[in-house]
Amino acid sequence: MLVVSEIATLQRLLDDVRSRGSDVGFVPTMGALHAGHASLIKSSVRECDFTVVSNFVNPLQFGDGEDFSQYPRDLEGDNSLCEQAGADVVFVPEPEVMFPQLPDIIITPQKLASVLEGIFRPGHLEGVATVLAKLFSIAGRSRAYFGAKDWQQFLVVRQLCQELSMPVEPVACPTVREPDGLALSSRNRYLSDTQRAGAAVLHRSLMLGRQLIQQGETNPARISQAMAQEIKSEPQVKQLDYATAVDADTLNTPRRLSGEVRLMVAAIIGEARLIDNLGVAHSR
Ligand code: AMP
């Protein structure tokens, strides 16, 4: 497995791969890799001839007072996980290679960034869209693998590729979870043992929401209320940001739920802000 840190080197390498008729799979990450990231890499390795993983903690997507400087970094561990998962190249650019100065052009999703994470983390989805536009233009024609764990981010990526006609096909992969349902996340490292046990409440709230929908509940407010109550009943939860049932594609809250619904939750436990979600098809 090659480790590349220069943009032009990666571009030449991937152009060369494509000129030989091979297709490229791309897995963008911020490092501190875990089995969730490994599952994306393995999907790419299964479906594409050549897999590149990027490992870059993107300063643009962290707000003031967020955890950019403490964000876990473990390059050696990350490279060995990538190699074991079958990646061909890891792209690890220095911050000054990616952003020699703060970019003047920021990509701003309008509707998709006006709800949920867009409200609680102003500027976050803009930072994500901007770095991905850059990474996609470096990677070139490819399939790009994302976790459904960050559902709103995936919708932004899908729209970015469609509206800007990027030669990138985004693919959503299932969320990898701990046995008690907690979604794997680099930020789970911030949790003490007690907080870690309490964090399973997020998944329990999603299961509760799903159960209500499966029983025929169509009122989104009733589902949100039940999920919020479940989360607030856990003493380790410091703050509930949202617990809601929305349309899976627009993230809007309809008057009555039907079709593809996404249950979305975000809460702060200890020092970690955790998000999770679940797709449920409403039979109505
Ligand atoms: P991050 O390094 O947190 O920016 O995540 C990089 C990619 O890994 C994103 O597409 C995430 O959605 C995905 N990811 C993070 N956690 C998981 C998980 N538990 N299961 C599947 N994919 C994940």
Side-chain angles (χ1 to χ4, degrees), residues 28-31 34 36-37 40 71 146-147 149-150 153 174-176 184:
T29 81
M30 296 208 303
H34 49 65
H37 299 107
L40 305 185
Y71 198 80
F146 292 87
K149 150 101 177 12
D150 299 275
Q153 168 176 294
T175 301
V176 176
L184 299 193

Side-chain angles (χ1 to χ4, degrees), residues 13-15 17-18 22-26 44 48-52 139-145:
L13 183 81
L14 296 181
D15 282 346
V17 165
R18 280 182 289 260
S22 298
D23 57 9
V24 171
F26 179 33
S44 171
C48 305
D49 300 319
F50 192 91
T51 292
V52 53
R141 183 167 296 281
S142 52
R143 274 158 77 80
Y145 291 81

Side-chain angles (χ1 to χ4, degrees), residues 201-215 217 222-231 233 263 278 280:
V201 75
L202 292 183
H203 183 249
R204 282 203 303 279
S205 76
L206 295 173
M207 294 291 114
L208 177 62
R210 182 173 74 176
Q211 191 188 0
L212 292 173
I213 290 177
Q214 287 171 344
Q215 286 165 358
E217 181 61 69
R222 284 214 199 101
I223 295 166
S224 301
Q225 214 170 36
M227 291 199 305
Q229 203 171 23
E230 176 74 19
I231 294 174
S233 74
L263 302 169
L278 187 72
V280 188

Side-chain angles (χ1 to χ4, degrees), residues 3-14:
V3 179
V4 171
S5 56
E6 297 301 325
I7 292 173
T9 312
L10 182 67
Q11 284 175 317
R12 267 199 305 274
L13 183 81
L14 296 181

Side-chain angles (χ1 to χ4, degrees), residues 102-163:
L102 266 187
D104 191 37
I105 296 178
I106 298 291
I107 295 184
T108 308
Q110 300 292 319
K111 291 193 191 126
L112 277 178
S114 70
V115 292
L116 305 172
E117 292 301 285
I119 293 172
F120 286 92
R121 299 186 71 189
H124 168 67
L125 291 165
E126 289 82 348
V128 169
T130 304
V131 79
L132 285 172
K134 178 152 181 144
L135 287 169
F136 288 164
S137 75
I138 296 169
R141 183 167 296 281
S142 52
R143 274 158 77 80
Y145 291 81
F146 292 87
K149 150 101 177 12
D150 299 275
W151 185 249
Q152 191 169 7
Q153 168 176 294
F154 176 70
L155 295 180
V156 167
V157 173
R158 203 169 66 178
Q159 196 172 37
L160 179 77
C161 293
Q162 263 164 15
E163 292 193 3

